[in-house]
Amino acid sequence: MRVAVLGTGMVGQAIAGRFDELGHDVRVGTRDPAATMSRTEPDQLGNPPFPAWHERHAGIRLDTYADAAAAAELVVNATPGSVSLDVLEAAGAEHLDGKVLIDISNPLVFTPDGPPTLFVDNTDSLGEGIQRTFPGARVVKTLNTVNAELMAHPATLADGGHSIFVCGNDASAKAQVTNILTSFGHTDVIDLGDITSARGVEMYLPVWLRLMGALGTARFNVKVIR
Amino acid sequence: MRVAVLGTGMVGQAIAGRFDELGHDVRVGTRDPAATMSRTEPDQLGNPPFPAWHERHAGIRLDTYADAAAAAELVVNATPGSVSLDVLEAAGAEHLDGKVLIDISNPLVFTPDGPPTLFVDNTDSLGEGIQRTFPGARVVKTLNTVNAELMAHPATLADGGHSIFVCGNDASAKAQVTNILTSFGHTDVIDLGDITSARGVEMYLPVWLRLMGALGTARFNVKVIR
């Protein structure tokens, strides 16, 4: 499948790398490919610059958001929530129409003191905002509840014995995304309902962040025991 | 231990019954004991009225909020979030001072159409509000992430192989509550930090509600895999 992954950070790299590993035709979208390829410094979190990752994934083409999305059958939003709507606007509504759009973003606001908060209130979600803004896209919210490594390689933790969620209005889009998640190694994909259920998975972030603090690692996930 | 459980609904009954089973001296607090004991109709959720439960737990005394709290060493807030501050006011700050106060409440607003939302925004929580309003109480937020049955008898699901959280400012209060939770059968009690971490466990409710819908049961919980 031809996949566009919008975003060059940890999440974009993990997802693009995983689709590539599985034999898909992957393009990564960025605002300005030349600028992205000229980066030599680690990002704010100390991760290596994109060109260092790209050297090891030379088969993956770096494009503008619009060119990557235009060429794709499936688009992944792997950008920070604070810029997601702008990035998707740059990708172009006409390049999202009718396509499955996997939305991984979280609506986090980072504050100088104290933990991050959310920039949507609890009667809305970023997933819904994206679906409203791009009504032709078939938005499926997923993967935002784990760190980048576990998104792409869930089997590295407890042989994949933990749960992941899908939210969206389009049943066939959710079925397609569930198949993709299964191919990644996710063993328990739970359909939470329409896109309004994105509120639940986005509002899960505060407890995820506290768990990361309590456990001293981001390598964890929840398994829904029933 | 002398325990006051404030609230006569499903949560109050489950917690009071469990403390009683384990040999503690339990009083249940209510606004007007005579009115509570005169109920003959099921509640809004179709649960039997309090007297039907009390017949099977005759050793548990029903008291006013204030009398129950005054007599107790440990107080449990098992009331709906919408009335919790009023109930604790009725119990009396002087009867909470210096005591461990287990807060199980959720700040849910029920709406005629659509799922419940929260009445605190994401930079606050009801747990913090209770701690601010009753600074002499040693508030520990816990158990609000599972249904009443699993709060009290976690071993009925997967032999207790799932996780529960404690949040609070007082380390010795959290240690004492952890011991109580362990005596109930909880096998994985995770300390999320100070009372501000109550935001995380309260904001977890929307995904819990969606999971209940997706799974068709409230008999589930998450296990934190790490």
Side-chain angles (χ1 to χ4, degrees), chain A residues 117 122 196 210 221 223 225, chain B residues 117 196 210 221 223 225:
Chain A
T117 60
N122 76 65
T196 65
R210 296 294 184 150
N221 190 16
K223 179 178 182 180
I225 309 292
Chain B
T117 60
T196 65
R210 295 294 184 150
N221 189 16
K223 179 178 182 178
I225 308 292

Side-chain angles (χ1 to χ4, degrees), chain A residues 12-91:
Chain A
Q13 291 174 22
I15 298 295
R18 187 62 166 140
F19 272 113
D20 182 55
E21 243 171 44
L22 294 170
H24 297 282
D25 178 1
V26 184
R27 295 186 191 207
V28 169
T30 190
R31 193 164 300 276
D32 177 345
T36 299
M37 286 308 291
S38 71
R39 285 181 200 152
T40 55
E41 298 297 318
D43 70 12
Q44 291 161 315
L45 298 171
N47 300 308
F50 184 81
W53 176 84
H54 195 252
E55 251 178 47
R56 291 176 282 115
H57 298 84
I60 298 179
R61 179 167 164 173
L62 186 68
D63 254 335
T64 63
Y65 292 128
D67 286 348
E73 298 161 281
L74 179 142
V75 179
V76 180
N77 174 31
T79 65
S82 54
V83 301
S84 289
L85 285 168
D86 285 349
V87 165
L88 292 167
E89 204 65 63

Side-chain angles (χ1 to χ4, degrees), chain B residues 93-109:
Chain B
E94 70 276 23
H95 300 140
L96 302 174
D97 266 3
K99 296 179 185 173
V100 173
L101 172 58
I102 294 179
D103 173 35
I104 310 183
S105 63
N106 277 308
L108 293 175
V109 181

